[in-house]
Structures are given as C-alpha cells and as structure tokens.
Amino acid sequence: MKWKKYTITTTTEAEDLVSYMLTELGMEGVQIEDNIQLSMADTKAMFVDILPELPPDEGIGKVSFFLESDDEGVHYPEGISGEEDMLARIKAGLEDIAQFVNVGSCEITDDETEDKDWINNWKQYFKPFMVDDIVIKPTWEEVPENMKGRMIVNIDPGTAFGTGSHETTQLVIKQIRKYATNDTQMLDVGTGSGILSVIGLMLGVKHVLGTDLDPNAIIATDENMEVNGLGRELYEVIEGNIIDDKSIQDYVGYEKYDLVTANILADIIIPLLGEIAVHMKHGAVIITSGIIDMKEKAVMEAFESNPEFEIVETTYQGEWVSITARRI
C-alpha cells in the first residue's frame, strides 16, 4: 500500500494548533516531529527510563499527515475535492492560526512512501497511563507493577480514534467521576472508541447510549466494552447526527439523560447546545471538551446565550478547555 505524506514546517509553539486544524479538515494519523526534550515527568508517564539525546531545540516543528494512494489516485477526506482544494484549506487554516501564534515558514512538502505497517507503528508509543487513580492501558500491554490494584481500563482505539491520553479526554474523565452515580443515564455524543462510555459504566452509571457519525465507532465500542467485561445490556451505540437528524433525536429520546458527554470540537459543540437540552432531564449535567483555548470564548458565549443552561465549572489542561454546565 502506498501513502502520500504531506509535511508542514511550522514552530513548536504552533504545532498543536496546526495538528488540531488538520484534524478538523478530516486528516487522520497526524505526526509531530520536533526536538523538544522530554521532561522527567514525561518519561515517568511514558515509562521511559533514559532521556533520549536530541539536537538543540530551535523552535521548529514538523507536522505531517498521510493520505492513501493507489492506482485511482490519492484519497482525500470527505468534502475535499483534490490536492489544490486541500492545500488552499490548509493555507487558510495556517493564516487563521498566525493571528495567535508564530507559525514559522509554513512550507508544505510532499513525498510518497510504501510502508504496510506505518498505520500501526503508533502502538509502540501508547503505554499505560493514569488519570487520577484510573489506569488506562492498551489491550496489548501488561499492567505495570506500580499501577496494579487500581481500576484498569483496557482500550484499543483502532486506527480511527484517540487513545484517551489527550488532554481533552482526560478533562472529561475527571468530570465524569464527579457526576456518575448508579442511577445515571448517560449520553455520549461523538463516542469514538467508546472510552468515555466504558469509563462511565466502570464508574457505576446505569446505562450509556453513544452516538457517532463514523460507523467504525460501533465496532470499536463493542470491542472495548467486551474487553472490559461490559455486557450489551449496559450500552448501545448508534450511527447518526443528533444535531439535525430527527430520527436520531427521536431514537435518543427526550428528558431522559442525567449526564451528557461531548468530547468533540468547539464548532460542533456550539450547534449541539441548541438541540441537546431537550434530551436531558432538568438538573442534568453536560460535560463538553475538545475546545482549544482560542475557542473557549465562543463556546462560553453559546452556553451563556442559551437559557436552558447554567455553567457549573470550567477546567483546563494544557491548551484545552472543558466546560461543564447544568440544565436549569
């Protein structure tokens, strides 16, 4: 199998924002390369005993993504008509980011590679980690001795979803712990690998319904529920868009949920807030995340302008924001 690799030369300051922008455009498997030295805290989190020796950090970061290529040509994400359209969108995104941080040269190069295993190579970097006292580990790794005796969550994100190690997911997990009870009916919008649904059930919620636009989410969630010993009577995952699909809205039900999680993107959270309240019980809580700090104000204003909600708490981790609100 062949892959077209595109690399954007930017700055270490902007590399997370550039990665976020590419993800919004539908790119998968974003790769970051820089010479930022790992801290001792990083090595402990990754179970690395020896700090690698890197060249001096000159503030340059390279962000790459891969597109499948075959005899029919390069396969672009849905909604992108070709290379010219894709590059125009990327350049526009870089110009937006440049309003907030130094984006560097923004040179875009491309190359073709043939590597049947690159899409799985990331697995060597996914190691067990902890969110508070919850251990999240890949299904192919053993539990480290120093993590035994805690709640263990086994996750295989597949190739389409995150590992749970991202700040946005960790922010939601910490909030779920505050609100999950044995009577909680939970709705997980944009369930992905099902990690939040799995953790919700393991923390005691009564039942979870997950929704996602990607049919692979159903497969991934089923597999992750099974590997954690959670039966089908505890959860359901459906494919569809709760924001504008009446059949999905009706299926999800009204005035039904005690807890809603939405770890998606700010630009999706904002229209979601116009619909989601009617599916929540009065007094129910919604936990939103996936909000880059530059979008915090817009999401906050969407909450504040909606009379159905009152903001309970805003939490931060790195450049990411989680906003928790209650339906009045």
Side-chain angles (χ1 to χ4, degrees), residues 47 126-129 135-148 152-154:
F47 301 96
F126 180 18
K127 300 294 183 182
F129 65 97
V135 177
I136 299 174
K137 77 169 193 69
T139 54
W140 56 87
E141 289 278 343
E142 297 296 325
V143 180
E145 285 295 326
N146 65 331
M147 292 186 176
K148 289 183 176 178
I152 308 295
V153 181
N154 291 282

Side-chain angles (χ1 to χ4, degrees), residues 1-7 65-76 83 109-115 118:
M1 184 178 293
K2 292 183 178 180
W3 304 91
K4 192 74 174 287
K5 177 182 179 181
Y6 293 86
T7 300
F65 61 93
F66 298 81
L67 299 177
E68 186 178 344
S69 175
D70 56 26
D71 293 339
E72 297 179 359
V74 178
H75 296 271
Y76 297 95
E83 184 174 63
T109 58
D110 63 87
D111 192 12
E112 194 168 66
T113 180
E114 187 167 2
D115 180 358
W118 79 266

Side-chain angles (χ1 to χ4, degrees), residues 211-223:
T211 70
D212 204 288
L213 301 180
D214 189 338
N216 290 317
I218 298 174
I219 299 169
T221 300
D222 282 344
E223 292 175 348

Side-chain angles (χ1 to χ4, degrees), residues 12-244:
T12 52
E13 181 184 13
E15 59 190 17
D16 281 348
L17 297 178
V18 173
S19 299
Y20 173 77
M21 178 266 292
L22 292 173
T23 301
E24 282 194 309
L25 290 176
M27 312 305 175
E28 297 176 357
V30 175
Q31 171 185 296
I32 294 176
E33 299 171 86
D34 58 38
N35 291 332
I36 296 177
Q37 184 69 41
L38 294 176
S39 67
M40 292 305 297
D42 292 330
T43 62
K44 288 179 181 178
M46 298 170 64
F47 301 96
V48 177
D49 295 323
I50 301 173
L51 285 168
E53 292 188 9
L54 298 173
D57 176 23
E58 298 178 345
I60 297 174
K62 293 182 181 292
V63 182
S64 302
F65 61 93
F66 298 81
L67 299 177
E68 186 178 344
S69 175
D70 56 26
D71 293 339
E72 297 179 359
V74 178
H75 296 271
Y76 297 95
E78 185 177 354
I80 294 179
S81 59
E83 184 174 63
E84 184 177 349
D85 180 28
M86 179 188 72
L87 293 177
R89 292 171 186 242
I90 291 174
K91 289 174 182 176
L94 292 170
E95 289 175 2
D96 287 342
I97 296 170
Q99 299 177 53
F100 301 94
V101 299
N102 175 17
V103 293
S105 70
C106 292
E107 178 186 8
I108 303 175
T109 58
D110 63 87
D111 192 12
E112 194 168 66
T113 180
E114 187 167 2
D115 180 358
K116 295 180 181 179
D117 295 322
W118 79 266
I119 202 165
N120 291 312
N121 287 345
W122 61 271
K123 289 185 176 182
Q124 64 186 300
Y125 304 107
F126 180 18
K127 300 294 183 182
F129 65 97
M130 294 180 62
V131 179
D132 292 336
D133 60 347
I134 300 173
V135 177
I136 299 174
K137 77 169 193 69
T139 54
W140 56 87
E141 289 278 343
E142 297 296 325
V143 180
E145 285 295 326
N146 65 331
M147 292 186 176
K148 289 183 176 178
R150 297 177 170 88
M151 190 176 94
I152 308 295
V153 181
N154 291 282
I155 291 293
D156 184 347
T159 58
F161 305 107
T163 63
S165 60
H166 197 279
E167 290 96 330
T168 60
T169 311
Q170 295 188 38
L171 284 165
V172 180
I173 292 170
K174 292 174 182 177
Q175 293 300 95
I176 291 175
R177 294 201 64 168
K178 298 179 183 179
Y179 298 101
T181 74
N182 293 335
D183 295 321
T184 297
Q185 292 283 345
M186 176 174 163
L187 175 63
D188 185 16
V189 181
T191 194
S193 68
I195 184 171
L196 297 178
S197 297
V198 167
I199 290 175
L201 289 171
M202 294 182 73
L203 288 172
V205 307
K206 190 173 183 178
H207 188 271
V208 181
L209 174 64
T211 70
D212 204 288
L213 301 180
D214 189 338
N216 290 317
I218 298 174
I219 299 169
T221 300
D222 282 344
E223 292 175 348
N224 286 318
M225 290 288 182
E226 182 178 1
V227 78
N228 285 287
L230 300 168
R232 288 183 176 272
E233 72 279 4
L234 298 174
Y235 76 96
E236 184 179 3
V237 188
I238 60 173
E239 178 189 352
N241 190 346
I242 194 172
I243 295 174
D244 58 15

Side-chain angles (χ1 to χ4, degrees), residues 299-305 309-314 322-328:
V299 178
M300 193 73 74
E301 288 175 349
F303 270 113
E304 291 172 345
S305 65
F309 293 109
E310 61 177 359
I311 296 172
V312 174
E313 187 178 5
T314 304
S322 172
I323 300 173
T324 300
R326 192 183 305 277
R327 185 186 180 191
I328 298 171

